[in-house]
Amino acid sequence: MKITDEVLLDDYNKLKRLGLLFFDKKKYSDAIFFVKKAALLMYESNIFYKDDELEYLMLEFGQKLVSRRQFCTNKTERKRIVFYDYFVLNNRGLTEQYIEALACSNFEILYIACRQNDRFSDEIYRKMSNYDNFEVVSVSLNLRILQTLYDLIFNFSPDMIIAHTAPWDVHGLTIINLFQHCKKYLINITDHAFWLGHTVFDYYFEFRDYGYNISKSYRNIPVSKLLKLPYYPIVNEGIPFAGFNFNAINKKIIFSGGSIYKIEGSPVFFQMVKHILDNHDDVIFLFLGNGNIEYIKNFIILNHYETRFFVFPERKDIYHVFKHSYLYLNTYPLIGGLMTQFACMAGVPPITLQKTHTDYSSDITELFTKCTKFPLNFSDKDELLKYIDIYLNDVQFYKECCAEMPSLITSKDSFNKLFLSYLDDSKNQLEIRTYNIDIISFAKDYIIRLNENYGIKYYRLFIGKNGYLIFYFFSYVCKYILCKILFMIRIKYKKYMTGIKK
């Protein structure tokens, strides 16, 4: 079955209807489950960017499931802020940037973490243990936690709530929505995608013009609520370099990384890699990321790059990996904003391809504080490859470019100052470039990716422990199992044929 806009919308509306059905039956846990599934499905396709019906349903969840009290404003001298963090991931998202800014403020902070202290979040918990104005509470999101979460925030009596949340976080948004007597801010970290919450907050932190324009034009958020706040990468030089498990002596490492879905749906990324490796014998290509690693390994095997192209999961010493790299090749068709900034901070040119010169979603200049004379952003693949050759061959040109890279990124002090000023006076202070965005073309790329590998990724969205999900989408469960088998057969066949050719 080919996944089209029509198929996707039919499934999305079916998930919504199931959410409403179970809400009417007072099976609230199931209702929340299907609302989350609907949000996740739209996040994976981005045919549109908001849904007023789901926003209303979240409001109804709050009315039905939470015993509310009369809110009392904070009577203490110091202002209080609840920082709600769905992710709590070391060096991922924007958790550390915001908590470090709040740590040097005069606010009292209640940090609500939706993850226990583990290897993915230990650096964040360690940092907060050093801050005397932070109270830290960990919660696990489920139906039973809603009242507890409400009571936590109510008893703290905040002046403000800042949310660093996921597009499908029904539990957290339902509770935050109930607090109407304090200012509420959303950190818009997924500015390119659908998310829940466009009616919940008073203000929205946008890190670039692209997100501002999407929120204004396609989420219908008033511009008076949009605050531009560019971020910077957290550089933890204290984490020692773990080295490479391949021979990098006298080699130039070209690095790329991020979620592997960012290179799916188009052959272009691999075409660029192939050009580099076929034309520069002294180059090793390294990709660090999570997701469908077999997607990359298959390319490596078919092109016999086993000694020149390496793919591994993400690692903590990411900054040192950049410092040991020669160039950073951005993912395509979706770029990595934080990875681009890491490259600049490490003095590594982030070479980036846009689909067109008006594809603002992958315009890395929106992440910079100033213009640069060095070509980093390209809308023509051949032009990009020409300049990669120049960077690899012209040492003086390359060194001059590297020297300028760190100055392109906003500083920690600038971020902190602007952020804290927005909490005091919520009026946008930075210049905004407004433009039109082709959301139809953008969504097509997502749908292409959902059709890859027999549609496994799409059908996997309908896999879960919820019995009703299996019942209502049983055909998709069967298709997922079948497609998974076909995919594995195809991979083994290609490996077999490659072995014969060798």
Coordinates of all heavy atoms in Angstrom, one line a residue, residues 210 213-214 216-218 358-360 433-439:
Y210 N 12.6 30.9 10.8 CA 11.8 29.9 10.2 C 10.7 29.5 11.2 O 9.5 29.4 10.8 CB 12.6 28.6 9.9 CG 11.8 27.6 9.2 CD1 11.6 27.6 7.8 CD2 11.4 26.4 9.9 CE1 10.9 26.6 7.1 CE2 10.6 25.5 9.2 CZ 10.4 25.6 7.9 OH 9.7 24.6 7.2
N213 N 8.0 32.2 11.5 CA 7.1 32.3 10.4 C 6.1 31.1 10.4 O 4.9 31.3 10.0 CB 7.9 32.3 9.1 CG 8.5 33.7 8.8 OD1 7.8 34.6 8.4 ND2 9.8 33.8 9.1
I214 N 6.6 29.9 10.8 CA 5.6 28.8 10.8 C 4.6 29.1 11.9 O 3.4 28.9 11.7 CB 6.4 27.5 11.2 CG1 7.1 27.0 9.9 CG2 5.4 26.4 11.6 CD1 6.3 26.4 8.8
K216 N 3.6 31.9 13.2 CA 2.7 33.0 12.8 C 1.7 32.6 11.7 O 0.5 32.9 11.8 CB 3.6 34.2 12.3 CG 2.8 35.4 11.7 CD 3.7 36.5 11.3 CE 4.4 36.2 10.1 NZ 3.6 36.3 8.8
S217 N 2.2 32.0 10.7 CA 1.3 31.7 9.5 C 0.5 30.4 9.6 O -0.6 30.4 9.0 CB 2.2 31.7 8.2 OG 2.9 32.9 8.1
Y218 N 1.0 29.4 10.2 CA 0.4 28.1 10.2 C -0.1 27.6 11.5 O -0.8 26.6 11.6 CB 1.3 27.1 9.5 CG 1.7 27.5 8.1 CD1 2.9 28.0 7.8 CD2 0.7 27.4 7.1 CE1 3.2 28.4 6.5 CE2 1.0 27.8 5.8 CZ 2.2 28.3 5.5 OH 2.5 28.7 4.2
T358 N 15.3 29.0 -1.5 CA 14.2 29.4 -0.6 C 13.7 28.3 0.4 O 12.7 28.4 1.0 CB 12.9 29.9 -1.4 OG1 12.5 28.8 -2.3 CG2 13.3 31.1 -2.3
D359 N 14.5 27.3 0.5 CA 14.2 26.3 1.5 C 14.8 26.8 2.9 O 15.9 26.4 3.3 CB 14.9 24.9 1.1 CG 14.7 23.9 2.2 OD1 13.8 24.0 3.0 OD2 15.6 23.0 2.3
Y360 N 14.0 27.6 3.5 CA 14.5 28.3 4.7 C 14.7 27.3 5.9 O 15.4 27.6 6.9 CB 13.5 29.4 5.1 CG 13.4 30.4 4.1 CD1 12.2 30.5 3.3 CD2 14.4 31.3 3.8 CE1 12.0 31.4 2.3 CE2 14.2 32.3 2.8 CZ 13.1 32.3 2.0 OH 12.9 33.3 1.0
R433 N 13.0 38.3 10.0 CA 12.8 38.2 8.5 C 11.6 37.4 8.2 O 11.5 36.2 8.6 CB 14.1 37.6 7.9 CG 14.0 37.6 6.4 CD 15.3 37.1 5.8 NE 15.7 35.8 6.3 CZ 16.2 34.8 5.6 NH1 16.3 35.0 4.3 NH2 16.6 33.7 6.1
T434 N 10.6 38.0 7.7 CA 9.3 37.3 7.4 C 9.4 36.8 5.9 O 9.9 37.5 5.0 CB 8.1 38.1 7.6 OG1 8.2 39.3 6.8 CG2 8.0 38.5 9.1
Y435 N 8.8 35.6 5.7 CA 8.8 35.1 4.3 C 7.7 34.0 4.2 O 7.2 33.5 5.3 CB 10.1 34.6 3.9 CG 10.8 33.7 4.9 CD1 10.4 32.4 5.3 CD2 11.9 34.2 5.6 CE1 11.0 31.6 6.2 CE2 12.6 33.4 6.6 CZ 12.1 32.2 6.9 OH 12.8 31.4 7.8
N436 N 7.4 33.6 3.0 CA 6.4 32.5 2.8 C 7.2 31.2 2.8 O 8.3 31.1 2.4 CB 5.7 32.7 1.5 CG 4.8 33.9 1.5 OD1 4.2 34.2 2.5 ND2 4.8 34.6 0.3
I437 N 6.5 30.1 3.3 CA 7.1 28.8 3.4 C 6.2 27.8 2.6 O 5.0 27.8 2.8 CB 7.2 28.4 4.9 CG1 8.1 29.3 5.6 CG2 7.7 26.9 5.0 CD1 8.2 29.1 7.1
D438 N 6.9 27.0 1.8 CA 6.2 26.0 1.0 C 6.0 24.7 1.9 O 6.8 23.8 1.8 CB 6.9 25.7 -0.3 CG 6.2 24.7 -1.2 OD1 5.1 24.3 -0.8 OD2 6.8 24.4 -2.2
I439 N 4.9 24.7 2.6 CA 4.7 23.6 3.5 C 4.3 22.3 2.8 O 4.4 21.2 3.3 CB 3.7 23.9 4.6 CG1 2.3 24.2 4.1 CG2 4.1 25.1 5.5 CD1 1.2 24.3 5.1

